[in-house]
Amino acid sequence: MSELTNAWLDKVFGGKIFCYPQVWLAPSVLKEANKLTSSLTKNGCKKITTINFGFGGNPRKRLGLDFEKKLVCELLKQPNTVVILDRGFGADELNASQQIFDEIRNKGYPVLQHRFGQIDVGSFSHGLLT
């Protein structure tokens, strides 16, 4: 997708340099994210996957709650894996993420819920972090 976008931009603006997409985060956010991932890896976590199932208020963009639950469960079958789930925004997204959280907990996987910047993972090295 990025290659197609870059080719289109080259046609429109005449450039010839390929640029991969990037996200530019505030240094304070990067520092907190590095602290979190460092704590998880020190605890023995080998894989960290972040997920955002947000649909921006348009339910037609949703993958579906059943799919979302199954995807998180499949990812957690890998030992020493932490899935970080962005809870989203608005009542519908918050409700959906809570249902995923409850499903994962009911399946016996470790779970944690915290606010970004206030996360104490303790000895957490496998499970769902929202």
Side-chain angles (χ1 to χ4, degrees):
M1 184 65 102
S2 61
E3 289 179 23
L4 290 173
T5 302
N6 205 98
W8 177 79
L9 289 169
D10 286 349
K11 282 184 182 181
V12 172
F13 297 107
K16 296 291 180 202
I17 301 171
F18 181 79
C19 298
Y20 284 99
Q22 294 183 6
V23 177
W24 299 93
L25 301 173
S28 61
V29 173
L30 287 174
K31 181 179 178 183
E32 193 62 38
N34 286 332
K35 188 170 113 180
L36 172 62
T37 57
S38 178
S39 294
L40 291 171
T41 55
K42 283 179 186 174
N43 291 341
C45 178
K46 302 289 184 214
K47 296 177 186 174
I48 301 170
T49 302
T50 59
I51 297 178
N52 179 323
F53 290 123
F55 48 92
N58 183 351
R60 294 181 303 167
K61 293 181 181 178
R62 275 200 78 186
L63 296 170
L65 190 56
D66 287 337
F67 173 82
E68 294 165 358
K69 289 177 181 178
K70 288 177 185 175
L71 176 61
V72 174
C73 283
E74 285 300 313
L75 290 169
L76 290 175
K77 286 181 180 178
Q78 294 295 313
N80 301 318
T81 295
V82 171
V83 174
I84 300 173
L85 175 64
D86 181 342
R87 294 188 63 221
F89 181 78
D92 290 339
E93 290 182 14
L94 291 171
N95 181 46
S97 64
Q98 185 62 48
Q99 288 184 56
I100 294 167
F101 182 87
D102 293 342
E103 175 84 6
I104 298 305
R105 182 183 55 216
N106 291 339
K107 290 203 179 278
Y109 290 103
V111 293
L112 284 176
Q113 277 186 322
H114 288 283
R115 285 191 163 307
F116 186 74
Q118 300 173 348
I119 300 170
D120 178 10
V121 294
S123 61
F124 197 75
S125 64
H126 181 80
L128 177 65
L129 173 61
T130 64

